Amino acid sequence: MGSCLCGQSASTGKVIFTSAMDASHEVNYEGIGAHGHYCVPVKVEGRVIGVINLYVEEGHERTALEEDFLVSAANTLSGIIERKRMEEKLEYMANNDALTGLPNRVLFFDRLGHEIKSSTRYGYMLGVLYIDIDNFKLINDTMGHDAGDRLIKSIADRLLKSIRESDTVSRMSGDEFTVILSNVSNVNQIEIVSNKLLTALKEPYDVNGQAHTLTASIGISVFPSDSSSAGELLKHADTAMSHAKNAGKDICMLFNPEMDETLNKRIALEKELRLAIERDELVVHYQPQIDISTGRIIGAEALVRWQHPQKGLLYPDKFITIAEDTGLIIPLGEQVLYKSCKQNIAWQNEGLPPIIVAVNVSTTQISWNYDLADMVFDVLDKTKMPPGYLELEITESFCMQNVDSTVSMLHRFNARGIQVAIDDFGTGYSSLSYLKHLPFKKLKVDRSFVNEITRNQDDLTIVKTIIDMSHNLRLKVIAEGVETAEQLEILRALGCDEVQGYLFSKPVTAEKFAALLKDEGG
Ligand code: C2E
Ligand code: MG
Ligand code: MG
């Protein structure tokens, strides 16, 4: 039996005509008598994917012409196959996201276009979901981009697993995904799927060996009621997503036309805020913090206001979120800190009793890849305020980002003698036993508990527990939002150290605050 000896040159990486002949080849084609063959391998991207055989009559002497023919046929063939594969690869790259393999924006629009056409024909509805992971930037900045990439892949997997095969999940950019829900018969169905996605995304992820949870905000637009244009459907879903973010995140929201107007107003406000920071339209008001046992003012919480040239005095609820979303919180936070420290020193220079100024720090101030501690130290140097007169109020969620950088920043503050207080305590989910590992001096009980303390037994118990446990951990407790004498008496009975609220004073201008301090002195 003759064995085929062709194709031996694969390892050289070149297509070489093989010298092997098989004089007694077993395949007998009709019309071909006793024969042999010789062959060349066909290689694609360095690998042999087949051979071209030239069958010859027995005894045939091969010619140089035949060899050339065979080699060029093999070369042409591998060229064609390579080009085809390259085209497929390029097409895949043009249509799919490299990290997750999901359809990208281009393919999303292509699919949405098709879905719109077929839904129009069959009278179905479509849901377009715009999904944005909440605070993803923080993960990237604090855990590194590799961890961020792995998380994005897990998110993509979960989205895919939570929808039907006929639906499309795409990755639009960074932490933004879209989903096309096809063949839908009512809006309720779309909302059910959206909520299912939110739930699926909330399951803990393993990031560098640590369990990490995250949330997302989803905006929904519906074909045909919101639009029948693919571009508009996406835009509307995106708008609804921004509204979901502003409404506190971790929810889904259906688009409605009024949202566009709100969004335009927001964009305008952002521009104005940028100018306001440059034009120094931000002012700081101060609210006294009182030692409950002596009744004396021991501190001032600095609260920012915007003296808007047309709209009058604007409160933080009108602009802090915009500042956080746009990064303007960085220059804003720095200005407030600078003004507050300068003011505190000015009061001391006036001979007023020295007090601590408490400045709010937003969680997003650390998420803009920015060294908060450097900024704080710099402001203290510039204003020459001793660090002991500064307290930073940070929220519970800030502390929950138990990443090394956050913890080391808190220690840096502590080492400099800057006090750190946890604001709005009780609204997050941190336990006191967890917080005891972090260098805090003070805990601020959220206004919502104080508000109900005289009416609601549960709130009373919570406040009592917070105060007792804090004292065990040698933390001071301040209650915010004290409005009535009754609330004050209960807090006093519970052993609360400090209070702040309208009962004593609303936040006031620096001049009025100086008058309050003067009254004390006299
Ligand atoms: P916060 O830090 O919890 O500040 C306390 C808020 O409660 C202030 O509202 C204050 O005016 C209000 N308040 C104080 N006492 C009472 C009371 O007895 N009853 C009631 N109903 N409210 C009381 P404001 O000034 O509107 O500030 C709201 C939030 O905006 C602050 O909450 C803080 O989170 C944020 N904020 C204010 N200034 C700044 C700032 O400079 N930087 C940052 N990042 N956030 C700021
Ligand atoms: Mg505060
Ligand atoms: Mg607060």
Side-chain angles (χ1 to χ4, degrees):
M1 193 186 83
S3 62
C4 186
L5 300 170
C6 49
Q8 298 299 311
S9 57
S11 60
T12 65
K14 247 166 71 191
V15 179
I16 300 172
F17 177 65
T18 174
S19 58
M21 282 281 278
D22 179 9
S24 55
H25 201 276
E26 285 172 342
V27 180
N28 288 310
Y29 293 101
E30 213 176 316
I32 298 181
H35 69 273
H37 76 251
Y38 49 98
C39 61
V40 292
V42 178
K43 297 175 88 181
V44 172
E45 289 165 3
R47 283 185 53 227
V48 177
I49 61 154
V51 291
I52 300 182
N53 266 336
L54 185 68
Y55 283 79
V56 290
E57 277 178 16
E58 200 175 23
H60 173 81
E61 289 282 318
R62 68 179 192 240
T63 65
L65 207 63
E66 284 166 359
E67 291 174 9
D68 282 353
F69 166 73
L70 217 50
V71 170
S72 53
N75 282 342
T76 308
L77 202 57
S78 60
I80 291 170
I81 294 169
E82 263 176 15
R83 199 171 62 232
K84 181 87 187 113
R85 287 205 179 163
M86 188 56 81
E87 278 169 10
E88 280 168 8
K89 217 184 248 175
L90 285 176
E91 192 180 319
Y92 182 85
M93 278 161 59
N95 286 306
N96 293 270
D97 164 50
L99 180 65
T100 60
L102 289 178
N104 63 11
R105 181 179 286 270
V106 177
L107 192 52
F108 162 82
F109 274 114
D110 189 54
R111 297 248 176 107
L112 186 55
H114 283 114
E115 290 297 343
I116 289 173
K117 270 191 203 136
S118 76
S119 302
T120 309
R121 191 172 324 131
Y122 300 111
Y124 280 124
M125 287 170 105
L126 280 178
V128 176
L129 317 186
Y130 207 113
I131 304 170
D132 188 293
I133 309 302
D134 298 328
N135 307 322
F136 193 77
K137 200 174 174 311
L138 195 67
I139 296 170
N140 256 342
D141 290 347
T142 54
M143 308 206 167
H145 282 263
D146 284 349
D149 280 358
R150 283 197 300 276
L151 209 50
I152 287 288
K153 277 195 207 167
S154 316
I155 290 167
D157 280 349
R158 290 199 190 172
L159 291 174
L160 275 176
K161 280 192 190 122
S162 312
I163 54 158
R164 295 170 306 179
E165 225 166 84
S166 53
D167 298 332
T168 301
V169 180
S170 315
R171 180 172 180 221
M172 305 308 268
S173 65
D175 62 339
E176 298 183 351
F177 297 85
T178 51
V179 175
I180 306 170
L181 301 176
S182 48
N183 295 358
V184 179
S185 46
N186 61 60
V187 175
N188 193 24
Q189 264 178 305
I190 303 175
E191 283 182 298
I192 290 172
V193 178
S194 304
N195 281 312
K196 198 172 128 194
L197 293 177
L198 284 184
T199 312
L201 292 178
K202 250 184 260 183
E203 288 291 314
Y205 300 80
D206 180 347
V207 183
N208 299 342
Q210 273 185 9
H212 197 95
T213 50
L214 48 79
T215 59
S217 302
I218 303 185
I220 307 168
S221 66
V222 178
F223 166 87
S225 53
D226 289 331
S227 174
S228 35
S229 126
E232 273 192 0
L233 283 167
L234 182 71
K235 192 168 147 263
H236 290 341
D238 188 7
T239 303
M241 186 275 290
S242 299
H243 277 77
K245 289 256 182 225
N246 295 335
K249 305 178 176 147
D250 190 19
I251 46 166
C252 50
M253 268 198 174
L254 280 165
F255 172 77
N256 75 54
E258 280 158 26
M259 285 180 171
D260 263 341
E261 205 184 310
T262 327
L263 197 72
N264 289 340
K265 276 196 194 147
R266 217 179 123 82
I267 293 168
L269 201 64
E270 180 196 329
K271 270 195 200 140
E272 289 183 61
L273 182 59
R274 209 172 280 276
L275 281 177
I277 294 171
E278 281 169 25
R279 294 179 183 160
D280 201 21
E281 289 169 11
L282 298 179
V283 291
V284 184
H285 283 188
Y286 300 89
Q287 188 177 33
Q289 300 183 322
I290 317 285
D291 181 324
I292 215 166
S293 58
T294 63
R296 298 183 80 89
I297 298 176
I298 44 153
E301 178 171 8
L303 294 154
V304 65
R305 275 91 182 91
W306 175 2
Q307 188 63 60
H308 192 285
Q310 286 89 37
K311 295 175 191 152
L313 197 65
L314 300 181
Y315 287 82
D317 61 320
K318 291 278 182 299
F319 58 91
I320 285 285
T321 319
I322 297 183
E324 288 177 337
D325 291 350
T326 53
L328 286 172
I329 193 72
I330 303 288
L332 183 151
E334 193 172 333
Q335 274 198 11
V336 172
L337 184 72
Y338 181 79
K339 284 173 193 252
S340 308
C341 294
K342 230 176 123 187
Q343 185 57 62
N344 201 21
I345 287 296
W347 286 327
Q348 291 187 12
N349 291 341
E350 281 176 45
L352 295 167
I355 55 160
I356 286 175
V357 65
V359 179
N360 290 284
V361 177
S362 149
T363 308
T364 42
Q365 264 170 283
I366 55 162
S367 64
W368 285 88
N369 213 359
Y370 161 79
D371 197 327
L372 182 66
D374 275 357
M375 183 280 277
V376 172
F377 299 156
D378 191 43
V379 167
L380 287 177
D381 287 346
K382 277 190 190 138
T383 57
K384 305 207 166 46
M385 189 178 85
Y389 290 116
L390 177 64
E391 182 171 283
L392 296 173
E393 288 194 7
I394 65 180
T395 54
E396 233 181 317
S397 58
F398 193 111
C399 327
M400 288 306 284
Q401 280 140 19
N402 183 17
V403 278
D404 294 346
S405 56
T406 309
V407 176
S408 79
M409 181 176 68
L410 292 176
H411 282 288
R412 282 175 74 196
F413 287 139
N414 198 38
R416 268 283 184 112
I418 298 167
Q419 312 218 22
V420 181
I422 306 177
D423 204 353
D424 305 337
F425 189 80
T427 54
Y429 302 99
S430 49
S431 66
L432 273 172
S433 57
Y434 164 75
L435 294 174
K436 81 174 172 210
H437 300 295
L438 299 172
F440 293 111
K441 287 273 156 46
K442 205 194 258 186
L443 216 144
K444 205 165 185 184
V445 181
D446 191 60
R447 192 165 78 222
S448 56
F449 299 110
V450 176
N451 198 21
E452 292 291 312
I453 204 169
T454 52
R455 294 185 289 264
N456 186 327
Q457 187 61 39
D458 287 347
D459 284 336
L460 181 73
T461 312
I462 291 172
V463 175
K464 183 176 172 359
T465 313
I466 294 176
I467 293 175
D468 290 347
M469 288 185 69
S470 303
H471 285 166
N472 282 338
L473 297 170
R474 288 193 197 78
L475 291 173
K476 282 202 163 170
V477 181
I478 178 165
E480 66 180 353
V482 181
E483 294 182 355
T484 67
E486 211 185 339
Q487 290 166 349
L488 174 65
E489 284 326 306
I490 293 180
L491 289 162
R492 191 195 301 278
L494 294 179
C496 186
D497 305 285
E498 295 166 15
V499 277
Q500 177 184 344
Y502 293 172
L503 177 64
F504 308 94
S505 167
K506 289 198 167 184
V508 292
T509 59
E511 294 74 42
K512 285 192 183 145
F513 193 90
L516 291 175
L517 274 179
K518 228 172 252 159
D519 284 350
E520 291 226 318

